[in-house]
Amino acid sequence: MFHSYTVSFCQNCFGYPLSIFFIVVNEFCERFSYYGMRALLILYFSRFIGWDDNLSTAIYHTFVALCYLTPILGALIADSWLGKFKTIVSLSIVYTIGQAVTAVSSITDLTDFNHDGTPDNLSVHVALSMIGLALIALGTGGIKPCVSAFGGDQFEEGQEKQRNRFFSIFYLAINAGSLLSTIITPILRVQQCGIHSKQACYPLAFGVPAALMAVSLIVFIVGSGMYKKFQPQGNVMAKVVKCIGFALKNRFRHRSKAFPKREHWLDWAREKYDERLISQIKMVMRVMFLYIPLPMFWALFDQQGSRWTLQATTMNGKIGLIEIQPDQMQTVNAILIVIMVPIMDAVVYPLIAKCGFNFTSLKKMTVGMFLASMAFVLAAVVQVEIDKTLPVFPKQNEVQVKVLNIGNGNMTVFFPGKEVIHPQMTQTNESITFDGDKLININISSPGSPVTPVIYNFEQGHRHTILVWAPNHYQVVKDGLNQKPEKGENGIRFVNSFNESFNITMGEKVYVNVTSHNASEYQFFSSGVKHFKISSTQQIPQDCVNDFQSSLEFGSAFTYVIGKKDTGCPELHTFEDIPPNTVNMALQIPQYFLLTCGEVVFSITGLEFSYSQAPSNMKSVLQAGWLLTVAIGNIIVLIIAGAGQISEQWAEYILFAALLLAVCVIFAIMARFYTYINPAEIEAQFDNEDEKKNLEKMHIHSTTAPVSQTQM
């Protein structure tokens, strides 16, 4: 037989092979390991290693791209050399080692020789983390096309319904692992751990995913005796490439009209390659042709972790009694997947079938594209509502100025064409915008004192605050905030109106040496109640209350002025620099719902379609091609978002929605002309033909043998 396999034993549970239980648990643990580790990477790069945001982002996306490019290598190894089972086991070992190395790279005490809480040799940590991530990319990418295809192999002919249900369960396991890991590992990260000093516990947060990957490997090996294992068919990809190359070369040689046309361009390879291989390549090429439009779907889908998360940073995360951080909104997709997969599988699809509608795989994928496009239309609508609430920041050729009176008397400020009176401890209601190319004439005066001109070289494209506290006394501070604080955090700075410097501790952060009548730099905090304490040794009496608290929301910025009471004790004056977000994050749920529905009918169906339309010896290769569309989709995002000059975010959302809608129409036309096939039936026909040829050869041999004896 062309396909040979061995099965130790195979039990059924409710009509399903018992072996798929081990495959589903394996996938759950592996996805927990991958997404749990990936959720920490950006913070690990920026906060532990100390890279800037641009470099951290570049390394992060390079790693993700590798994870979706290595499936091609895994498919080649599985189909040409080791087979799916041995490939999964071998690369899972590599994967586990990579996770362990990454966890070790995050141990501060590894190079913290002076025990000050920071690594003394960062290059060691960088090298280990890069080695670990390279091994993870090889491992997770290598097994991606094998696990789902291996699960499909466990079903017999006539179990198409169970196999389709398996792909839904398989996808459910992926999202369940993703959901739990993205909730748990960030909690582990914020724990304090260390031998000589305490800091964020990255080793634990990376170590748990490493342990889950080891569990995944063990569970998969335990089920070994139950699996149906197909033997590899040799270097299939090399045969495919050579066959295609020969067909193209042969067609070019016979391009003259003297040679009759053939039904398919691959038929020009018949002179050298057998009909079975040519037929199998035709099957793969027909499906790969349908893959051409698919990356556009992933270009939109993967923006949940980028554009949509950035959109959430400009929104309010208070939903009832729950407070959600912007980067936690991505869990909405995983939660909805867990809910929607069973509903679609058990309710929606059966209802559609009862209505007599032939809802084929390609029709489902077309609907998925349309729903994703509409999700981005909703995102654009939400963005328009957000834009109405955003503060106006200075353009590149503009300067914004406001005045903050931290003194004990009234101050009058003269702007060009405008006069503003500032009582004690007040500030300008809104920043005043000026053309940066023109000289800004600002003067300050107080009752009974001469006018004092403000002499300062205002920097274009920035906000500035003029601190005034007495006649002829002012200080100009460049604010340094030209946008809403990232990730929904809140910018806090302190202004010291005392005559001495002091330190301020807020949470785990310290404002060092806030000088007299000056402002500190902004530091950023998440939402919630925050406590801070003033540390002073001179002017503040010992019996004064030095502990204060403030309640922060999302995306705001405040200036806290430390004033002085008549008793000499400090008092707090709060001034709003950037208002908190007012549009609620709950408004993102409809766009997440549409995108998740699109994912369910697109991604799960695509996995099953790729498996069902692939020849038995090329299923992993076709699964790798499916995953390759994800990598190309991410590249599309980088090209459009990076090269595009779209100033309005809502317009970019509409652009992506329009592109996917156009691609959706093209895909629907392509799908209209696609004819579904059963590769098993086609291969069975070739098996029958081969068997007939063998019988004919045996018959010829048996009839010619006596003649040869007589002749002898």
Side-chain angles (χ1 to χ4, degrees):
M1 293 288 291
F2 183 75
H3 295 157
S4 61
Y5 60 84
T6 60
V7 184
S8 298
F9 62 92
C10 183
Q11 301 175 353
N12 287 324
C13 182
F14 299 106
Y16 294 88
L18 191 59
S19 56
I20 68 168
F21 168 79
F22 297 94
I23 296 172
V24 169
V25 174
N26 162 269
E27 184 67 11
F28 169 82
C29 295
E30 188 273 327
R31 290 291 85 186
F32 184 107
S33 176
Y34 174 74
Y35 283 108
M37 174 275 306
R38 202 176 82 168
L40 308 169
L41 276 184
I42 283 290
L43 292 178
Y44 174 66
F45 291 153
S46 61
R47 297 183 182 180
F48 185 91
I49 296 181
W51 289 336
D52 60 35
D53 289 349
N54 291 334
L55 180 58
S56 299
T57 302
I59 299 296
Y60 173 83
H61 283 292
T62 301
F63 167 72
V64 174
L66 283 174
C67 290
Y68 284 100
L69 290 173
T70 50
I72 297 174
L73 178 61
L76 288 174
I77 294 173
D79 285 342
S80 307
W81 181 27
L82 295 178
K84 297 184 188 73
F85 176 77
K86 290 182 179 179
T87 300
I88 294 170
V89 172
S90 302
L91 292 181
S92 291
I93 294 173
V94 173
Y95 192 169
T96 306
I97 294 172
Q99 289 280 31
V101 171
T102 303
V104 170
S105 74
S106 65
I107 300 176
T108 303
D109 294 301
L110 192 66
T111 62
D112 184 16
F113 305 116
N114 58 3
H115 308 323
D116 63 350
T118 57
D120 295 326
N121 191 348
L122 266 178
S123 59
V124 172
H125 297 271
V126 172
L128 286 174
S129 63
M130 293 301 102
I131 292 171
L133 291 177
L135 293 175
I136 291 171
L138 175 60
T140 188
I143 68 175
K144 272 181 189 293
C146 301
V147 178
S148 58
F150 188 69
D153 287 345
Q154 307 309 306
F155 295 88
E156 304 286 349
E157 287 295 323
Q159 288 187 306
E160 286 76 15
K161 182 178 179 181
Q162 289 89 339
R163 188 179 65 200
N164 293 351
R165 186 70 59 84
F166 159 74
F167 281 108
S168 295
I169 297 171
F170 185 81
Y171 206 75
L172 192 64
I174 291 174
N175 285 275
S178 167
L179 172 61
L180 289 177
S181 64
T182 51
I183 293 174
I184 292 173
T185 52
I187 295 174
L188 298 177
R189 178 186 61 81
V190 299
Q191 305 302 312
Q192 297 291 307
C193 66
I195 299 174
H196 302 289
S197 59
K198 303 296 182 183
Q199 57 270 323
C201 202
Y202 286 101
L204 177 62
F206 281 127
V208 169
L212 261 292
M213 190 57 225
V215 171
S216 172
L217 174 60
I218 293 169
V219 168
F220 186 75
I221 293 175
V222 167
S224 175
M226 300 183 186
Y227 300 139
K228 182 192 296 184
K229 304 169 186 174
F230 286 89
Q231 297 300 319
Q233 304 299 317
N235 196 338
V236 178
M237 184 57 73
K239 291 179 182 177
V240 170
V241 173
K242 289 178 181 178
C243 182
I244 293 174
F246 180 80
L248 293 173
K249 188 189 300 182
N250 200 29
R251 177 68 183 89
F252 182 77
R253 287 174 181 170
H254 302 84
R255 61 187 181 276
S256 171
K257 292 182 179 180
F259 298 97
K261 292 183 178 180
R262 299 186 182 182
E263 185 179 351
H264 193 281
W265 63 270
L266 274 170
D267 292 334
W268 288 95
R270 285 176 179 172
E271 284 82 352
K272 187 175 181 181
Y273 294 92
D274 63 71
E275 191 67 31
R276 179 195 289 268
L277 179 63
I278 294 173
S279 177
Q280 290 172 333
I281 296 174
K282 286 179 182 179
M283 297 181 214
V284 172
M285 295 299 292
R286 290 170 71 249
V287 177
M288 293 291 281
F289 177 70
L290 285 176
Y291 281 178
I292 294 174
L294 302 190
M296 200 65 222
F297 174 87
W298 298 114
L300 275 70
F301 178 80
D302 284 341
Q303 290 189 56
Q304 292 177 88
S306 55
R307 294 300 197 200
W308 284 15
T309 300
L310 292 174
Q311 184 185 65
T313 64
T314 59
M315 305 176 76
N316 190 308
K318 195 76 172 178
I319 303 177
L321 299 176
I322 304 173
E323 190 173 279
I324 300 176
Q325 298 299 325
D327 49 356
Q328 291 178 324
M329 278 301 291
Q330 297 175 57
T331 60
V332 173
N333 172 254
I335 293 171
L336 288 174
I337 280 287
V338 173
I339 297 172
M340 292 304 299
V341 168
I343 292 176
M344 297 294 290
D345 206 38
V347 180
V348 178
Y349 291 156
L351 282 177
I352 294 175
K354 284 184 178 180
C355 293
F357 184 71
N358 185 20
F359 202 30
T360 62
S361 297
L362 295 180
K363 288 178 181 177
K364 291 177 184 177
M365 294 172 69
T366 305
V367 171
M369 287 183 171
F370 176 77
L371 291 174
S373 176
M374 293 303 100
F376 266 66
V377 172
L378 283 184
V381 173
V382 171
Q383 188 64 46
V384 169
E385 293 301 312
I386 293 172
D387 290 345
K388 295 177 183 178
T389 68
L390 294 178
V392 177
F393 292 99
K395 299 177 182 178
Q396 291 298 320
N397 62 335
E398 294 179 339
V399 171
Q400 287 186 343
V401 180
K402 69 177 178 181
V403 177
L404 174 56
N405 180 7
I406 60 174
N408 296 321
N410 294 342
M411 305 295 293
T412 302
V413 181
F414 301 93
F415 293 103
K418 188 174 184 179
E419 177 182 329
V420 182
I421 298 176
H422 286 277
Q424 176 186 355
M425 286 296 171
T426 60
Q427 74 168 359
T428 312
N429 292 331
E430 294 181 355
S431 295
I432 302 173
T433 304
F434 298 95
D435 189 341
D437 296 329
K438 298 178 181 179
L439 181 64
I440 303 174
N441 295 316
I442 302 175
N443 297 288
I444 303 171
S445 73
S446 60
S449 63
V451 173
T452 302
V454 175
I455 301 173
Y456 185 80
N457 185 20
F458 292 97
E459 187 174 342
Q460 295 184 18
H462 288 273
R463 286 182 162 190
H464 301 78
T465 301
I466 303 175
L467 303 175
V468 295
W469 60 93
N472 303 323
H473 289 83
Y474 67 88
Q475 175 74 33
V476 180
V477 179
K478 187 177 80 172
D479 290 1
L481 275 183
N482 293 329
Q483 62 180 8
K484 277 271 192 177
E486 295 180 353
K487 300 179 181 178
E489 293 185 322
N490 301 274
I492 302 296
R493 69 175 176 180
F494 287 90
V495 171
N496 177 9
S497 66
F498 280 69
N499 292 324
E500 66 159 326
S501 301
F502 46 63
N503 297 338
I504 299 174
T505 303
M506 188 170 185
E508 298 178 357
K509 298 180 181 180
V510 180
Y511 294 80
V512 180
N513 193 29
V514 182
T515 57
S516 173
H517 298 98
N518 205 348
S520 68
E521 296 288 337
Y522 283 102
Q523 296 200 54
F524 298 92
F525 302 85
S526 59
S527 60
V529 177
K530 305 298 176 184
H531 296 268
F532 60 91
K533 183 177 182 179
I534 303 170
S535 302
S536 175
T537 58
Q538 297 179 18
Q539 289 193 14
I540 300 179
Q542 295 295 323
D543 58 345
C544 291
V545 176
N546 287 347
D547 294 325
F548 300 88
Q549 74 174 35
S550 62
S551 180
L552 303 178
E553 296 184 31
F554 294 83
S556 64
F558 290 95
T559 296
Y560 290 161
V561 178
I562 307 300
K564 191 174 185 180
K565 297 180 180 178
D566 294 337
T567 60
C569 292
E571 62 178 346
L572 180 66
H573 300 273
T574 304
F575 298 95
E576 184 181 85
D577 300 328
I578 297 175
N581 305 336
T582 55
V583 179
N584 200 281
M585 286 185 198
L587 287 181
Q588 279 194 322
I589 293 177
Q591 67 198 53
Y592 271 101
F593 175 76
L594 278 183
L595 191 65
T596 302
C597 290
E599 179 189 4
V600 171
V601 296
F602 178 89
S603 187
I604 297 175
T605 306
L607 282 172
E608 192 277 329
F609 173 78
S610 299
Y611 182 88
S612 67
Q613 298 296 292
S616 59
N617 61 333
M618 298 184 189
K619 292 188 184 296
S620 294
V621 173
L622 208 50
Q623 294 287 320
W626 170 262
L627 294 169
L628 184 62
T629 64
V630 182
I632 298 173
N634 281 278
I635 295 172
I636 291 174
V637 175
L638 293 175
I639 293 173
I640 295 178
Q645 300 295 323
I646 303 175
S647 58
E648 299 293 340
Q649 185 58 54
W650 66 264
E652 184 178 291
Y653 288 143
I654 293 295
L655 172 62
F656 275 108
L659 288 173
L660 183 57
L661 193 60
V663 167
C664 178
V665 173
I666 294 171
F667 182 77
I669 296 171
M670 295 169 64
R672 184 78 174 82
F673 295 97
Y674 183 84
T675 303
Y676 292 86
I677 60 171
N678 188 337
E681 290 182 359
I682 296 174
E683 292 179 338
Q685 293 175 5
F686 282 109
D687 290 337
N688 291 334
E689 291 177 5
D690 291 343
E691 190 174 348
K692 288 180 181 178
K693 290 178 181 178
N694 290 333
L695 289 173
E696 289 175 0
K697 289 180 180 179
M698 291 174 62
H699 179 70
I700 293 172
H701 178 72
S702 62
T703 55
T704 56
V707 175
S708 63
Q709 290 174 2
T710 304
Q711 289 174 345
M712 288 175 64

